[in-house]
Amino acid sequence: MKAAPADQKRLLDLAEIDSTIDRLTHRRRTLPELAEIDDLAARVARLATQVIAAETEAGDLAREQTKAESDVDAVRVRVDRDQKRLDSGQVSSPKDLANLQSEIVSLTRRQGDLEEVVLEIMERREAADAQVVKLAAERDELAAARDAAADRRDAAFAEIDKELAEVRTKRSAVAGELPADLLGLYEKLREQFGIGAAMLQGGRCLGCRTSLSIADVNRIKAAPHDEVIRCEECRRILVRTPESGL
Ligand SMILES: [Zn+2]
């Protein structure tokens, strides 16, 4: 392939623009905020599940407490009723009186036991409620951190995308100046190797960092200036400049 030396040199500008595009694209893909957001989102999801479990437990305890309180009330009603009968003086038989008194004693003991149960449930419920508040606060804090990271990501994206748009405009201009066949070869090589053209500097290909043999250097020296040279190692277009050491 033949191409004017100036066009060949222009390929180096294109390669530099392309490596800027690659660098920006890589930065966009590997922003630390992306991993941070994923990590925070997973932790928020885990905490949300824990909050629901804690709320369920607190709800169960609230229902348990209501039931235990109604058990206490039922016994209290019976104690009151028995006490009224006792106070009314309507029960006269000594045996019935003894039975009534013994029932009041046992019901009062039962009421005390049930009140203990209520207290124990209240304590557990208090702890469960506190756990809900603690977990929900942790969840909200992490969600806020996640949102802040998302804001930072969006700001970084906007900055990178602005730079990418500028550099792509520059690329179109440079690519537009190049002959179609030379550009076509460059694009094909870029697709294959990431970089399509490299400078020959001091007898070395800057694409693959290989030093050329004396025979290759001599061959390139003898080649016409408009001959498009390829690196024998990496197959990239090798661009000759005054720094090439020929
Ligand atoms: Zn090479």
Side-chain angles (χ1 to χ4, degrees):
M1 188 185 287
K2 302 271 184 192
D7 286 341
Q8 294 192 35
K9 285 204 189 81
R10 208 71 176 116
L11 284 182
L12 293 179
D13 297 333
L14 197 59
E16 201 185 315
I17 289 170
D18 280 340
S19 76
T20 302
I21 290 175
D22 290 347
R23 186 174 49 75
L24 289 169
T25 311
H26 180 259
R27 208 174 101 209
R28 197 184 197 286
R29 212 176 34 234
T30 58
L31 273 183
E33 280 81 7
L34 296 177
E36 197 185 332
I37 291 166
D38 280 352
D39 175 53
L40 286 167
R43 287 162 70 191
V44 168
R46 262 201 307 279
L47 274 164
T49 308
Q50 286 175 298
V51 167
I52 289 170
E55 280 171 347
T56 305
E57 202 197 332
D60 289 348
L61 285 167
R63 270 188 300 281
E64 227 180 289
Q65 184 183 335
T66 306
K67 192 190 165 294
E69 282 168 349
S70 85
D71 289 347
V72 170
D73 287 343
V75 175
R76 189 183 295 128
V77 167
R78 285 176 64 192
V79 172
D80 287 351
R81 190 195 57 201
D82 286 355
Q83 191 65 49
K84 270 189 196 122
R85 278 184 68 205
L86 191 66
D87 295 345
S88 71
Q90 284 165 355
V91 182
S92 49
S93 122
K95 188 168 167 270
D96 288 349
L97 272 177
N99 279 344
L100 198 53
Q101 274 165 339
S102 123
E103 189 176 271
I104 288 173
V105 167
S106 97
L107 282 173
T108 305
R109 193 182 304 125
R110 170 106 182 103
Q111 184 183 335
D113 289 348
L114 288 172
E115 278 166 354
E116 280 296 312
V117 170
V118 169
L119 281 178
E120 187 250 340
I121 294 170
M122 279 170 76
E123 266 170 36
R124 280 165 60 206
R125 190 185 165 190
E126 228 167 79
D129 286 343
Q131 183 72 352
V132 169
V133 171
K134 176 178 164 279
L135 289 170
E138 238 174 278
R139 177 202 57 196
D140 293 347
E141 195 182 316
L142 286 174
R146 178 203 56 200
D147 293 346
D151 287 347
R152 288 201 308 280
R153 173 204 59 196
D154 292 344
F157 273 175
E159 197 183 306
I160 291 168
D161 290 347
K162 183 167 163 276
E163 248 180 280
L164 269 173
E166 283 166 10
V167 86
R168 281 188 174 127
T169 304
K170 213 159 90 187
R171 186 188 201 277
S172 301
V174 173
E177 294 168 10
L178 292 168
D181 56 350
L182 183 66
L183 182 64
L185 175 62
Y186 171 88
E187 298 285 27
K188 202 185 87 192
L189 293 169
R190 167 162 166 75
E191 214 169 279
Q192 271 178 284
F193 307 118
I195 300 173
M199 191 198 286
L200 175 62
Q201 188 189 53
R204 217 155 66 111
C205 164
L206 290 191
C208 62
R209 308 263 157 194
T210 304
S211 287
L212 273 60
S213 67
I214 306 280
D216 280 338
V217 171
N218 285 336
R219 185 175 53 80
I220 294 167
K221 250 186 216 173
H225 288 303
D226 61 351
E227 181 77 34
V228 175
I229 309 280
R230 304 277 294 277
C231 171
E232 295 295 331
E233 278 299 321
C234 69
R235 303 306 299 150
R236 292 188 178 96
I237 298 167
L238 211 41
V239 178
R240 285 161 287 173
T241 73
E243 298 170 49
S244 292
L246 294 171

